[in-house]
Structure formats: structure tokens, C-alpha cells
């Protein structure tokens, strides 16, 4: 039933129709109690007449209403007035991604920021256990200032309408009884293979749908096409996306990102949208595959005089490493990116006398310790985000990235152990026990831990019994170990003398793990990388 302007549904006054979908009609309305504009989605009569279905929908709506994220359109509630069941939602001004794609493919500089925001929305929902199940361009809204809002999170879970006879890939949301395993849900052109088979959808189904969106944004074409909805479903199940149709001047990592998103088998797909989001951030920094270099700055001072400058040392060290790799592999002229990174509101470095900042080997991510937890910031992002799972580890110290930039190792003061955690967060895994470290590094497949007067330990990247690889004398301390590319030589800072003079007499040394031979590289220096 189409509602006319002026119709009242309790305190809500219908203003104008906005569109229709698989569940019902959507209207612009005014909340007369709160004096705000809202969107009203009136549920189709065949849904509203089924009490069991409505009951399940109400339970789902309560969970969805708890989602609170700037990239997700808020669900204010579900109402029942004069026999009408309807949803009250946040009204988002602007055009849908579907509207934008009608004008053709997007430049990569436009597509990636939108894709990044969609991934952020999915990540926030997945962390709450909510799967979208019906991600498509019509469910993505772009505001006039370029902000993205994803609509209808989780609503497809409770939709079970009769089969539709849509004849295009953009047919309304499909829902047909398929097998006893479940229902086919989602729009044909964007659903995952498991959904097309009628199997349950999980977070990896959203990752597949995300891949279809990103592919279409960049190429202007859907990856799986057909003349009818069954043709499209067949394409989803058996055909591979034409990744060769991607524009030729894009970062090669985009090709791999899409390939893994669009894997037919869920186990071979990206397993977490947070990893996808991190990869999109990396590509966004260099959409055409050109390196962005972090600046190198000044020399270091003795440790006892340094607190926050240790932070700068860590950034400079990794930047030099990244610069060296890029210089060796790309002889083309390089540009330098200079910027100032301020901590978030009410953030303070934790234990700034130790290493509390690290930069990823590829130079695109920064991790730091503030307010007793780890924060991650991509260089292209406007602000850092806390890494879930690090707030319960006392004061984390000495964060370092894995060589591929996907994992962070840190020392936990809560239980005096070395731990590892994915950059997307989760459960921190204990690698080994260790006293308060004097520098940590991760090179090749091993982690080195400076232990001061106890020397230097080597720990396998997946954990195990620490091995003492470098011992020191009673009046010496070892700090800041790093493994050289040969895998057999360690450089570190060696301090000698009394407690008062140790760091004034520091020197940078290199020691062979094969022969034990030690030689001085710089006398009167420290913190080499």
C-alpha cells in the first residue's frame, strides 16, 4: 500500500516516497515528537502477517539498533501502528552508490576512499557479530560531502519472501526456497557463491560482496553478469571475474585484493574484513603503485637524555629501511612526504622513555602506545584507531611490525610476556616470557629481544623457548638488537661502565652469530638500524 504525503503513523508524518525494495516502501518522514527528519520503511503485508517472522525480525532489530558507527545508518526502532509494521531509520541525504555507478566507472582516487569507508562499516558490524548478507550499491549511500553510510545491516537475515521473477542482474532482493540447507538471499549480481547455493552466509559472504562492489566501482561493470537472475547466479557459481579488465595503470595489489575477495571457496577468501580494510588503506596510499617515502631526520642522543625522541628514532629507522628497499627496486625519481602526526584528544604516550612508536616495513602504517593500549594509524588516514585486544595487557611496550605488516608484537607488562596480535585486533597470543625489554625487532622469521644485562634473546615468530644468542659481561648492557639481511649478524647498542655513565659510553656494535666475533661500528652512538 502506497502512503500519501501527510499520512500519520503514530508520531511520524509521511513527507514523500524515497523508493522501494524487497521488504517494502521507503519514505521520507518527520518525527513530530523530536522534530527531526527520518526514513520510514513500511514492511510488506506478506511479512507483517506472519507473527513468527515479525517476532524474529524484532529480535534482530534490537541487535541492529545497538550498532553505533559513523559509517552505518542507524536503526532507531521498529514500530507497529494501526496494523502497519515499519522501521524508523536515520535519513541519509545524497545519492546511492547505484546512482553514482550509472554515470560510469569511478577514478581510482574516488573509488578507494569509498571502498575504505564501506570496509570500515563492515568491520564494525562484524566485530559485533552482525553480517550484512545483502551488500549492494543500492544499500550504500554517499552524502554530498563524500561520507559513506551503509544501509540495511543484517536485515536480509530475516527476509524470506516468495521467489521473484526478476529478469535483470539488478533485480530486487532475491529470496527463494532452494534446499533444506537454507535460503538464497541477496541480490543476484552481488551475492556470494554460498548464498547462491542456499547455504548460510557468514562474514566471508560480505567480503565477496565487497569485492563485487569494488570491481564494479573501478571497471564500471559487474563481475558476474547475465540476462536473467538465474544466469547471473550461474555466473557467480562457475565463472571467474575478468580481472584483466581492470585499468592498466593501477597498483598491482588491487588485482590481488579483488582476486582474494572473489574466491569461490570461503576458506580461500580473505578471512577478515579488517585485513581487507588494511589492504585498501595500503593501496589508497599508492593507487598507481608509486612509492611514498617517509622523511628521514636527525641523529640520536644517549638513552638517559631521551624520552619522546626514542619515538622519532623508531620512525626514522623503519623509514630508512623502507627507503632502502624502494630505492633498490625502483630507480625512478621518488617523492618525499612530510607530515605532522598529533596524538588523539586526551591521549598521552605510555612510558615514553622506551620505544613506543613503530612504522611498518612498507612505510604505510604507524603503531604507537598511548593510554595503556596500542593505536594504529595508516599514513593516509586522518586519525588513529585503537587495536582491539591490547587494552587488557597492562602497559604494552616496544611494538614492532611483522615483515609483512599484518601482525604486531609487543611486550605486556601485565604478565611480563612477549605477545603478538593482528593489526586488526583480536586475542593477543603469548610468545614467551621476557623481562622488560630494551628494544625488540622482527626480522626474517625470528624476533630479537634486548634484555639489558641478560644479553639478547631470539624467539621464533610463532613463539617458543627463548634462546640466548648474545651474552654480555657484568658491566655491560645490550639494547636495540636488529638482524642484518644476511641473517647471521646482529647490530645492537652496547653500554658499559657504571650505572651513571653507561649510556654516555654507548657504542654500536655488530656481532656474528656464527663466530661470536664482535666489532665496533660507531663509538659513542646508539639506536642503530
Amino acid at each position: 500500500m502506497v502512503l500519501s504525503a501527510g499520512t500519520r503513523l503514530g508520531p511520524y508524518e509521511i513527507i514523500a516516497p524515497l523508493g522501494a525494495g524487497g521488504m517494502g516502501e521507503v519514505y521520507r518522514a518527520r518525527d513530530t515528537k523530536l522534530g527531526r527528519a527520518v526514513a520510514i520503511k513500511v514492511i510488506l503485508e506478506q511479512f507483517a502477517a506472519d507473527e513468527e517472522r515479525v517476532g524474529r525480525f524484532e529480535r534482530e532489530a534490537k541487535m541492529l539498533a545497538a550498532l553505533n558507527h559513523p559509517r552505518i545508518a542507524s536503526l532507531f526502532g521498529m514500530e507497529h501502528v494501526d496494523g502497519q509494521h515499519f522501521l524508523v531509520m536515520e535519513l541519509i541525504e545524497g545519492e546511492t552508490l547505484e546512482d553514482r555507478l550509472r554515470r560510469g566507472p569511478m577514478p581510482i582516487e574516488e573509488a578507494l576512499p569509498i571502498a575504505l569507508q564501506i570496509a570500515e562499516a563492515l568491520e564494525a558490524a562484524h566485530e559485533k557479530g552482525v553480517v550484512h548478507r545483502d551488500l549492494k550499491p543500492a544499500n550504500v549511500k554517499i552524502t554530498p560531502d563524500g561520507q559513506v553510510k551503509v544501509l540495511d545491516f543484517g536485515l536480509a537475515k530475516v527476509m524470506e519472501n516468495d521467489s521473484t521473477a526478476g529478469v535483470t542482474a539488478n533485480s530486487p532482493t532475491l529470496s527463494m526456497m532452494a534446499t533444506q540447507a537454507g535460503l538464497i538471499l541477496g541480490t543476484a549480481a552481488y551475492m556470494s557463491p554460498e548464498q547462491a547455493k542456499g547455504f548460510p552466509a557468514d562474514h566471508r559472504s560480505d567480503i565477496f560482496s565487497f569485492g563485487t562492489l569494488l570491481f564494479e566501482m573501478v571497471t564500471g561493470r559487474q563481475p558476474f553478469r547475465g540476462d536473467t537472475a538465474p544466469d547471473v547466479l550461474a555466473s557467480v557459481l562457475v565463472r571467474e571475474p575478468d580481472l584483466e579488465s581492470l585499468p592498466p595503470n593501477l597498483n598491482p595489489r588491487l588485482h590481488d585484493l579483488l582476486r582474494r575477495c572473489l574466491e569461490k571457496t570461503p576458506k580461500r577468501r580473505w578471512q577478515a574484513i579488517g585485513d581487507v580494510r588494511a589492504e585498501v588503506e595500503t593501496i589508497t596510499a599508492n593507487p598507481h603503485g608509486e612509492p611514498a617515502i617517509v622523511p628521514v631526520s636527525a641523529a640520536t642522543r644517549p638513552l638517559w637524555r631521551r624520552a619522546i625522541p626514542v619515538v622519532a628514532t623508531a620512525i626514522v629507522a623503519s623509514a630508512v629501511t623502507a627507503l632502502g628497499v624502494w630505492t633498490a627496486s625502483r630507480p625512478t625519481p621518488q617523492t618525499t612526504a612530510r607530515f605532522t602526526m598529533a596524538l588523539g584528544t586526551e591521549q598521552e604516550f605510555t612510558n615514553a622513555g622506551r620505544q613506543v612508536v613503530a612504522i611498518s616495513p612498507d612505510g604505510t602504517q604507524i603503531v604507537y602506545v598511548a593510554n595503556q593500549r596500542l593505536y594504529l594509524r595508516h599514513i593516509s588516514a586522518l586519525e588513529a584507531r585503537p587495536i582491539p585486544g591490547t587494552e587488557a595487557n597492562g602497559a604494552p611496550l616496544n611494538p614492532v611490525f611483522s615483515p609483512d605488516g599484518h601482525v604486531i608484537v609487543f611486550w605486556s607488562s601485565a604478565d611480563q610476556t612477549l605477545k603478538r596480535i593482528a593489526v586488526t585486533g583480536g586475542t593477543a597470543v603469548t610468545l614467551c616470557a621476557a623481562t622488560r625489554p630494551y628494544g625488540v625487532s622482527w626480522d626474517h622469521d625470528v624476533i630479537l629481544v634486548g634484555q639489558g644485562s641478560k644479553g639478547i634473546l631470539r624467539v621464533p615468530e610463532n613463539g617458543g623457548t627463548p634462546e640466548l644468542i648474545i651474552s654480555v659481561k657484568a658491566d655491560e648492557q645490550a639494547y636495540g638488537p636488529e638482524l642484518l639481511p644476511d641473517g647471521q649478524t646482529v647490530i645492537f647498542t652496547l653500554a658499559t661502565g657504571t650505572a651513571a655513565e653507561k649510556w654516555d659510553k654507548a657504542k654500536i656494535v655488530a656481532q656474528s652469530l656464527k663466530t661470536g666475533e664482535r666489532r665496533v661500528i660507531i663509538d659513542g652512538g646508539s639506536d642503530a638500524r
Side-chain angles (χ1 to χ4, degrees):
M1 179 181 69
V2 178
L3 302 179
S4 59
T7 301
R8 294 290 291 266
L9 295 174
Y12 304 102
E13 179 183 358
I14 300 299
I15 304 300
L18 290 175
M23 288 185 60
E25 296 87 17
V26 184
Y27 299 88
R28 178 188 295 270
R30 180 174 178 272
D31 184 342
T32 58
K33 282 187 176 181
L34 300 179
R36 64 178 177 181
V38 296
I40 296 290
K41 178 173 281 190
V42 179
I43 300 175
L44 293 175
E45 293 181 5
Q46 58 262 42
F47 294 142
D50 188 332
E51 292 184 3
E52 179 182 356
R53 183 178 295 172
V54 170
R56 285 190 290 108
F57 188 83
E58 287 177 340
R59 290 191 294 273
E60 182 77 2
K62 289 179 181 179
M63 180 176 66
L64 299 174
L67 286 179
N68 183 18
H69 191 272
R71 304 292 175 228
I72 299 176
S74 299
L75 175 64
F76 296 145
M78 181 175 181
E79 305 287 345
H80 183 205
V81 176
D82 297 333
Q84 292 273 15
H85 287 274
F86 59 93
L87 298 172
V88 183
M89 302 177 295
E90 179 184 4
L91 178 66
I92 310 298
E93 303 290 354
E95 64 177 355
T96 66
L97 180 58
E98 183 179 45
D99 297 330
R100 169 60 187 85
L101 289 174
R102 289 195 185 102
R103 301 197 297 271
M106 298 178 174
I108 193 64
E109 291 79 8
E110 178 186 1
L112 288 176
I114 291 176
L116 180 59
Q117 294 179 70
I118 296 172
E120 289 173 350
L122 292 174
E123 184 177 10
H126 289 181
E127 288 175 352
K128 298 290 186 180
V130 177
V131 180
H132 196 291
R133 296 178 176 85
D134 195 21
L135 184 64
K136 55 189 177 183
N139 279 337
V140 177
K141 208 73 179 285
I142 307 171
T143 67
D145 60 353
Q147 299 302 303
V148 167
K149 292 274 190 175
V150 180
L151 316 177
D152 283 358
F153 257 98
L155 300 184
K157 181 178 182 180
V158 291
M159 291 183 56
E160 300 173 7
N161 59 313
D162 296 331
S163 65
T164 60
V167 294
T168 68
N170 265 335
S171 59
T173 300
L174 299 176
S175 178
M176 60 189 79
M177 294 301 295
T179 67
Q180 293 182 350
L183 300 168
I184 294 181
L185 300 170
T187 300
Y190 306 98
M191 64 169 48
S192 64
E194 55 269 27
Q195 288 175 288
K197 294 176 182 177
F199 295 150
D202 63 13
H203 61 282
R204 294 170 298 184
S205 301
D206 281 352
I207 292 174
F208 187 94
S209 299
F210 173 85
T212 66
L213 260 64
L214 181 53
F215 182 97
E216 185 175 359
M217 290 161 66
V218 175
T219 66
R221 300 187 301 166
Q222 295 166 342
F224 308 105
R225 291 169 289 167
D227 295 331
T228 67
D231 289 341
V232 176
L233 292 179
S235 179
V236 169
L237 290 172
V238 302
R239 296 174 192 158
E240 295 298 327
D242 181 15
L243 296 179
E244 297 303 317
S245 64
L246 293 174
N249 62 335
L250 301 184
N251 190 322
R253 296 179 72 156
L254 182 63
H255 185 286
D256 186 60
L257 170 71
L258 287 169
R259 179 187 59 77
R260 292 184 62 186
C261 283
L262 298 174
E263 285 281 1
K264 306 292 187 188
T265 304
K267 288 184 178 179
R268 299 181 63 185
R269 228 172 274 158
W270 290 93
Q271 296 297 293
I273 191 64
D275 293 335
V276 176
R277 188 259 315 143
E279 186 69 4
V280 173
E281 286 181 336
T282 299
I283 298 170
T284 300
N286 295 289
H288 300 287
E290 299 170 356
I293 301 167
V294 180
V296 177
S297 58
T300 61
R301 290 171 289 174
L303 182 66
W304 67 274
R305 294 177 183 170
R306 286 178 284 129
I308 292 179
V310 175
V311 169
T313 302
I315 294 178
V316 169
S318 295
V320 170
T321 302
L323 175 59
V325 172
W326 279 322
T327 301
S329 61
R330 292 185 63 90
T332 55
Q334 300 171 346
T335 58
T336 299
R338 295 182 174 87
F339 63 93
T340 299
M341 191 185 95
L343 295 188
T345 305
E346 298 182 354
Q347 287 184 17
E348 291 184 0
F349 284 130
T350 302
N351 293 314
R354 297 293 175 95
Q355 179 183 328
V356 294
V357 172
I359 191 167
S360 62
D362 66 0
T364 64
Q365 301 177 93
I366 294 173
V367 64
Y368 63 87
V369 188
N371 297 11
Q372 310 288 316
R373 69 183 303 169
L374 295 181
Y375 286 82
L376 184 75
R377 174 176 165 177
H378 194 280
I379 287 180
S380 65
L382 296 177
E383 58 185 20
R385 61 176 184 83
I387 299 178
T390 61
E391 68 279 4
N393 288 282
L397 287 177
N398 286 89
V400 293
F401 282 94
S402 61
D404 63 7
H406 294 163
V407 177
I408 294 170
V409 160
F410 64 94
W411 183 76
S412 169
S413 63
D415 56 3
Q416 306 278 297
T417 61
L418 206 63
K419 297 181 183 292
R420 59 178 287 167
I421 192 169
V423 294
T424 55
T427 301
V429 177
T430 298
L431 298 179
C432 67
T435 58
R436 191 180 182 93
Y438 287 79
V440 178
S441 67
W442 188 342
D443 300 283
H444 303 278
D445 57 354
V446 297
I447 298 164
L448 303 186
V449 185
Q451 293 282 266
S453 60
K454 297 180 181 179
I456 296 172
L457 301 179
R458 177 170 59 192
V459 184
E461 62 179 359
N462 292 319
T465 303
E467 174 191 4
L468 180 66
I469 58 172
I470 293 178
S471 58
V472 294
K473 298 177 182 178
D475 64 340
E476 294 178 334
Q477 289 202 36
Y479 173 84
E482 288 209 354
L483 194 63
L484 293 186
D486 65 2
Q488 296 297 327
T489 308
V490 177
I491 61 169
F492 60 97
T493 301
L494 184 67
T496 58
T498 64
E501 63 185 8
K502 260 185 172 58
W503 297 105
D504 282 332
K505 293 186 176 182
K507 62 187 71 175
I508 298 166
V509 300
Q511 181 164 329
S512 170
L513 297 181
K514 284 185 176 181
T515 65
E517 178 187 0
R518 180 185 298 173
R519 59 193 179 92
V520 176
I521 305 299
I522 299 177
D523 197 354
S526 63
D527 293 276
R529 298 291 184 268

